[in-house]
Amino acid sequence: MADLKKTFEAAVANSKNLSERPDNSTLLKIYALYKQATVGDNTEKKPGFTDMVGRAKWDAWDKLKGTDVKAAMQQYIDLIESLS
């Protein structure tokens, strides 16, 4: 787990230095995987319908409910590597 965590932290750092900005759906996936890997299942209150960005983020994260933290870390790492 320590190696996975180090690799995950390196991927988080690399995500800030991507050569080009990913499209919105990819950004949502990055956000959701990060939240699942660092917080776990979404237990937050769903934002109101006037907060469209907040709702999109909440929905993306909520779709990952039940995903293991280690699996989310690995998926995040793989996604960032594919974008680098």
Side-chain angles (χ1 to χ4, degrees):
M1 176 76 173
D3 288 343
L4 180 62
K5 186 140 179 82
K6 284 181 185 175
T7 307
F8 175 73
E9 289 168 359
V12 170
N14 290 340
S15 74
K16 295 171 176 66
N17 301 317
L18 296 174
S19 57
E20 57 184 65
R21 185 179 190 277
D23 60 64
N24 287 342
S25 65
T26 304
L27 286 172
L28 283 172
K29 187 167 180 111
I30 291 169
Y31 170 83
L33 286 169
Y34 177 82
K35 292 292 277 189
Q36 189 69 23
T38 58
V39 179
D41 286 346
N42 183 356
T43 58
E44 294 181 11
K45 185 175 181 257
K46 190 170 188 171
F49 94 98
T50 57
D51 180 4
M52 290 191 276
V53 172
R55 268 179 96 86
K57 288 176 157 184
W58 189 94
D59 286 338
W61 181 19
D62 199 58
K63 286 178 185 171
L64 295 176
K65 196 170 269 186
T67 302
D68 181 65
V69 168
K70 291 178 189 175
M73 282 185 180
Q74 188 60 56
Q75 289 176 41
Y76 183 95
I77 293 163
D78 294 342
L79 179 57
I80 296 303
E81 285 178 357
S82 74
L83 297 171
S84 297

